[in-house]
Amino acid sequence: MPNLKEAAALLAGATDVTLLGHVRPDADALGSALALGRALQLRGVKVRVSVGEPEEMPETLQSLDVGGLYVPASELPESERLLVALDTPTPGRLGKLAPRVDAVRAAGGDVLVIDHHASNVFYGTHHVVDDTAEATAVLVFALLEELSTEIDEPIARCLYAGLVTDTSGFRRARPSTHLMAAKLLEAGVDPDKVVREIVDDHPFAWLPMLSEVLAGARLEPDEARGFGLAHAVVTLDVARSVRAEEVEAVVDVVRSTREAGVAVVLKEAEPIGPQRRWTVSLRSAGGVDVSAAAGELGGGGHRQAAGCTAEGTPDEVLGKLREALSRAPLL
């Protein structure tokens, strides 16, 4: 594991740590941060976990924060000696908290980056980056083992949440990762409860929202290098009836289209200028590297799951994505 001992030594000597996940965090980003944060808290370290956006922790992930470690971005101290960025390949994915990276480094502090994205740009002073790991939770688990940390149920639950979601319910998990999951279950994790709370629990309002979005979905069988492209658009008006979690879940429905090797969902964000702004989720069934397409638009991610932000009308953004996908490498 790259630089594991060095990172463990850095954390072992820490007394005050801020851990950050990427904006609009998923279970891997926050689960990994909360798991490592709790382990450090139990060692007597002062710990804060936060993200640049949104201010409040997503409702579906709130049960993971047993130790009350989450702090809204607006309430973080001005600086810290050790900053840990998890599941975040570039500083830009930290949103409004991105300047803290340079600030910590300029002050002579340390920035530890723990991540499994192939697009990581190694922006810290220390790195545990491995794009062969299925989830950042895998790297945190290895780091906790290096620290000889006892994995209690709250830590195990956070890691299991990241693992089960980033492996698509273990469909993309190696044998060693299944063995890791077994250790987490032995620590007391209730897998049915975790998955139900994070993945399967939606309010009724999700159904009419989903119905409206899917009614506008389109299939383009010749796009994405011939593998087929299915896409849908979630506007602000439609999204206001549900939580952010419901909007993020739309891509998992669109990706199930048999005739499409690539699924794309445009999710309208609040504008910060004259142009409409979109966060884009891309998923690949295994034929096309969607991280390369996302990278052309300033984003990144994994070869089979990536994202980016773009401005313009839906047609303009989809046009850019079609062009990028036409140049994307095959897997």
Side-chain angles (χ1 to χ4, degrees):
M1 192 71 69
N3 301 316
L4 201 61
K5 292 185 181 299
E6 182 182 329
L10 180 67
L11 292 171
T15 58
D16 188 289
V17 181
T18 298
L19 301 102
L20 302 179
H22 56 71
V23 293
R24 298 178 296 279
D26 56 11
D28 192 30
L30 263 183
S32 296
L34 290 167
L36 181 56
R38 176 171 172 82
L40 294 173
Q41 184 185 51
L42 293 175
R43 296 170 69 97
V45 179
K46 186 174 183 179
V47 176
R48 297 164 295 274
V49 173
S50 191
V51 298
E53 179 188 331
E55 275 284 290
E56 299 301 322
M57 183 186 300
E59 184 180 341
T60 53
L61 303 178
Q62 289 177 5
S63 63
L64 300 180
D65 188 13
V66 173
L69 300 179
Y70 189 82
V71 176
S74 60
E75 298 178 16
L76 288 173
E78 289 188 6
S79 62
E80 51 274 308
R81 290 292 301 170
L82 175 57
L83 182 71
V84 183
L86 299 102
D87 202 43
T88 306
T90 66
R93 289 285 287 150
L94 293 171
K96 64 184 178 183
L97 297 179
R100 300 181 82 89
V101 173
D102 287 340
V104 170
R105 298 189 63 161
D110 294 299
V111 178
L112 171 61
V113 177
I114 307 172
D115 184 38
H116 72 127
H117 291 88
S119 55
N120 194 284
V121 297
F122 291 80
Y123 54 93
T125 59
H126 302 76
H127 302 89
V128 177
V129 176
D130 183 358
D131 67 355
T132 68
E134 300 96 325
T136 295
V138 173
L139 303 177
V140 171
F141 181 79
L143 191 51
L144 294 182
E145 286 195 320
E146 186 68 29
L147 286 164
S148 300
T149 300
E150 180 179 350
I151 306 293
D152 63 8
E153 190 279 333
I155 292 175
R157 188 176 354 132
C158 290
L159 294 175
Y160 189 87
L163 201 59
V164 72
T165 52
D166 258 36
T167 60
S168 299
F170 296 101
R171 290 195 292 272
R172 294 182 289 103
R174 295 172 294 180
S176 60
T177 308
H178 282 278
L179 292 174
M180 171 186 161
K183 293 179 181 179
L184 300 178
L185 296 178
E186 288 173 352
V189 173
D190 181 340
D192 179 63
K193 187 172 186 292
V194 171
V195 174
R196 187 172 63 251
E197 288 180 349
I198 294 175
V199 179
D200 296 336
D201 182 51
H202 297 289
F204 182 80
W206 185 58
L207 297 179
M209 182 277 289
L210 190 62
S211 175
E212 186 169 349
V213 170
L214 296 183
R218 296 292 179 266
L219 173 67
E220 300 181 29
D222 297 327
E223 293 294 338
R225 304 201 60 178
F227 284 92
L229 170 66
H231 54 81
V233 176
V234 185
T235 64
L236 277 173
D237 286 342
V238 172
R240 285 195 175 97
S241 64
V242 295
R243 305 172 302 180
E245 291 94 317
E246 276 67 59
V247 176
E248 295 300 323
V250 171
V251 72
D252 292 320
V253 180
V254 178
R255 72 187 298 184
S256 65
T257 305
R258 179 188 303 168
E259 298 90 342
V262 174
V264 169
V265 174
L266 275 59
K267 300 160 290 184
E268 190 172 12
E270 294 290 347
I272 55 177
Q275 292 266 52
R276 296 176 76 180
R277 189 165 61 101
W278 307 87
T279 59
V280 182
S281 294
L282 300 96
R283 299 291 184 270
S284 170
V288 180
D289 181 353
V290 292
S291 69
E296 285 198 29
L297 276 72
H302 310 292
R303 287 178 282 272
Q304 292 181 251
C308 60
T309 301
E311 293 185 344
T313 67
D315 286 343
E316 289 170 342
V317 174
L318 285 167
K320 295 175 185 177
L321 288 167
R322 289 188 194 96
E323 292 179 9
L325 287 167
S326 73
R327 294 186 288 269
L330 300 179
L331 297 177

